[in-house]
Amino acid sequence: MQLVVARIGRAHGIKGEVTVEVRTDEPEVRLGPGAVLATDPPGTGPLTIETGRVHSGRLLLRFAGVSDRTGAEALRNTLLIAEVDPEEFPDDPEEFYDHQLMDLDVVTENGVEVGRITEISHLPSQDLFIVERPDGSEVMIPFVAEIVAEIDLDGQRAVITPPPGLIDDRAVVASARAAEQDEAGDAALDDGADGSPGQTGEAR
């Protein structure tokens, strides 16, 4: 199957290098020199990686046949796609390929349904699950051990232990509003009880 492993960003320098947004946990395997990658849009590729290096925390690649800044800029926003065996697993049992995580049901340890993973966002500091709730809204869940307790591929689910506010933020807001309304109501009743202007109960 095909797997998006990177997105090409801006040109770097004048010799054809580009920055890339890595979307794989194994860039040394998928994005190493000699790798031949399909592209989206298809007409841009296939592209063969000629060199790769890390500069200021960003991966820089240069492709065969691209030797100047103009050629590099023409590749901007192109997706790089690798062919991956769907039965293949990373060497580390705690790691997973994106396609293995897509569409997993997300539930809490108490069995509360949260939603379904529709996207994995790879950030420099951590990965994020983009989860679509049953009502169509989205929530972002950091893919860290403190929050994601279990990935059950056989059961097609991800079990999470969310901290307060991560998935129930709307409930917290609603509770706060209700509390404010209760306080406002109590204040109005107090005003009316001491003879000062309050609610009169009259319809106008």
Side-chain angles (χ1 to χ4, degrees), residues 96-194:
F96 303 89
Y97 293 133
D98 286 6
H99 70 272
Q100 295 168 327
L101 300 171
M102 291 292 290
D103 291 326
L104 293 186
D105 293 325
V106 179
V107 299
T108 68
E109 285 189 318
N110 297 327
V112 177
E113 179 185 4
V114 179
R116 178 178 60 88
I117 298 175
T118 58
E119 183 182 345
I120 293 92
S121 178
H122 298 282
L123 304 180
S125 58
Q126 64 187 12
D127 295 337
L128 290 175
F129 291 160
I130 310 302
V131 178
E132 182 178 319
R133 297 175 185 261
D135 64 5
S137 63
E138 291 184 337
V139 61
M140 293 183 290
I141 298 177
F143 187 15
V144 295
E146 295 80 6
I147 296 176
V148 181
E150 179 186 3
I151 297 294
D152 179 6
L153 294 182
D154 291 333
Q156 285 293 287
R157 65 177 191 163
V159 181
I160 65 171
T161 55
L166 181 63
I167 63 173
D168 57 354
D169 54 328
R170 289 175 297 176
V172 170
V173 171
S175 297
R177 287 178 178 170
E180 290 174 358
Q181 290 173 352
D182 289 343
E183 290 176 1
D186 291 342
L189 290 174
D190 289 343
D191 286 343
D194 63 8

Side-chain angles (χ1 to χ4, degrees), residues 45-120:
L47 294 173
T48 301
I49 298 176
E50 194 168 80
T51 64
R53 64 187 180 98
V54 176
H55 175 73
S56 298
R58 297 294 300 273
L59 179 61
L60 303 179
L61 298 179
R62 184 166 58 209
F63 301 98
V66 181
S67 58
D68 57 26
R69 188 176 184 87
T70 300
E73 282 289 358
L75 298 175
R76 189 167 184 174
N77 292 324
T78 296
L79 297 178
L80 299 176
I81 303 170
E83 193 68 36
V84 178
D85 183 345
E87 301 301 320
E88 180 182 347
F89 284 81
D91 293 333
D92 188 338
E94 298 299 319
E95 294 183 353
F96 303 89
Y97 293 133
D98 286 6
H99 70 272
Q100 295 168 327
L101 300 171
M102 291 292 290
D103 291 326
L104 293 186
D105 293 325
V106 179
V107 299
T108 68
E109 285 189 318
N110 297 327
V112 177
E113 179 185 4
V114 179
R116 178 178 60 88
I117 298 175
T118 58
E119 183 182 345
I120 293 92

